[in-house]
Structure formats: C-alpha cells, structure tokens
Amino acid sequence: MAQLYFYYSAMNAGKSTSLLQSAYNYHERGMNSLVLTAAIDDRYGVGKVTSRIGLERDALLFNGNDDLHQMIANQPHKPDCVLVDESQFLSKAQVRQLTQVVDCLNIPVLCYGLRTDFQGELFEGSQYLLAWADKLVELKTICHCGRKAIMVVRMDEQGNAVRGGAQVQIGGNDSYVSMCRKHYRELAWD
C-alpha cells in the first residue's frame, strides 16, 4: 500500500541528501522515481535538487498553481514513487492532490521540508502534511550548544536576528541558523 511520508526538520538536517539517497535507491532497483522541487528555490540552479554535500539531481518544478495529481498522472511512465523537495512551499490543495496520488494512483509520495518558518509558524504545506501524512519522520540537526535544533532564525547581513518580514525569503547558511528552542527564544522572541 502506498503512503504519504513527511520528512521534516530545521535547516541543515540533510533533507535533500535523504531525498537524493531515496531516489538513488529506487534507481538502483530499476525503478522510476519522479523528483519535484519548488520553482521558488533556484539557489543551486533551476530544476535541480542539490544537497550541501555535493549531490544533485534534475527535478520537475512546481509552483503554487500546479495540479500535482494531474502532473504526476500525466507522466509518460508511471513513477514508482514521487519525491518532493522543499515541500513546505506546497499549498493546501497540493497536499490534498498528493493524497490522491497515494490513494488513487497507489504511488508512494515522500515529501521533505521545513516544519516552521523563522517566526516559529508552520508553513502551509507543512501544516497539511503534518495533518494528513501517513508517516511523519523528524530528521535531526543540532544547535551550536549541542541540543536538538527545532527552530530556524533568519539573520541579517550584520548577524542580527530578524523578527519580522515575509515568510518566504530564499536563503541558506548565509541567511538562516538552526537552533534549539532555548537559543531561538533568546534571539527571536520578544
């Protein structure tokens, strides 16, 4: 039976690396995996899933208006699995469409993304994946103190925590730091 998985974490936990490993495992078994990534995140090239350790793979892009069920159903070869990077950028409707892929097309869907934004709020895609996924898997990373990092702090050019602004600002280690709740509280909460 196919299932919907949500692999979530703070930044720098290896989400993209894990996705790429899963894609490789399917490929190694002679199976076809379809990799999707958010069009909004083009830091490492358009239509690519890239990990910080140098692995990469081509991917189909999705944006907020795409019907993912239709996109997947219309593939020339039925995929054996669907892997979605940057799944926090999915809309509620798209998460629902992925449940249709699982339930109606019997294709497993593995989503990888952030749970919360820099203000500690759920992303829309993450909210509905947490609510509707069959399996939830937390990937762990650590704070500078050694505790588990569950929060992400947005930093400005001077290294100060940013407390307001748009939910989405694409960036990596230059803009965000993963921290435990204690250190996040000291920097980001009033």
Side-chain angles (χ1 to χ4, degrees):
M1 260 336 217
Q3 294 188 328
L4 176 61
Y5 297 81
F6 182 35
Y7 295 85
Y8 65 91
S9 70
M11 292 185 71
N12 298 323
K15 294 177 298 297
S16 296
T17 302
S18 182
L19 179 150
L20 293 166
Q21 180 66 52
S22 292
Y24 178 80
N25 291 346
Y26 274 89
H27 175 75
E28 189 176 48
R29 300 289 183 258
M31 301 171 91
N32 177 32
S33 62
L34 177 64
V35 178
L36 304 174
T37 191
I40 192 171
D41 187 356
D42 60 1
R43 287 175 291 161
Y44 303 109
V46 176
K48 298 255 185 229
V49 172
T50 304
S51 72
R52 285 180 189 78
I53 64 171
L55 303 173
E56 73 175 23
R57 181 181 168 133
D58 290 336
L60 290 180
L61 297 174
F62 70 86
N63 64 48
N65 300 321
D66 290 329
D67 182 326
L68 299 183
H69 178 265
Q70 199 68 18
M71 182 188 292
I72 294 162
N74 289 338
Q75 290 299 304
H77 303 287
K78 180 182 175 183
D80 294 299
C81 80
V82 175
L83 302 152
V84 183
D85 198 33
E86 304 295 347
S87 62
Q88 70 269 13
F89 297 130
L90 294 166
S91 67
K92 177 182 181 180
Q94 288 172 322
V95 175
R96 184 172 287 154
Q97 292 157 11
L98 292 175
T99 67
Q100 288 178 291
V101 169
V102 171
D103 298 339
C104 301
L105 300 178
N106 199 32
I107 300 171
V109 177
L110 290 70
C111 295
Y112 298 79
L114 297 172
R115 182 178 63 174
T116 59
D117 66 15
F118 75 105
Q119 293 178 310
E121 301 292 331
L122 290 171
F123 284 96
E124 182 177 352
S126 303
Q127 175 184 347
Y128 291 100
L129 285 165
L130 287 166
W132 299 337
D134 298 296
K135 299 258 170 111
L136 301 172
V137 180
E138 183 180 22
L139 301 175
K140 294 173 182 69
T141 189
I142 57 170
C143 179
H144 65 276
C145 70
R147 292 172 62 178
K148 181 173 79 169
I150 62 168
M151 310 295 282
V152 178
V153 177
R154 183 183 291 168
M155 308 298 270
D156 65 17
E157 298 80 27
Q158 291 75 40
N160 300 309
V162 175
R163 294 184 180 189
Q167 183 181 47
V168 177
Q169 176 183 310
I170 302 301
N173 293 342
D174 58 324
S175 303
Y176 295 97
V177 178
S178 295
M179 294 184 179
C180 66
R181 186 181 50 248
K182 176 184 176 187
H183 288 107
Y184 174 87
R185 177 185 295 122
E186 291 172 1
L187 288 179
W189 281 346
D190 294 327

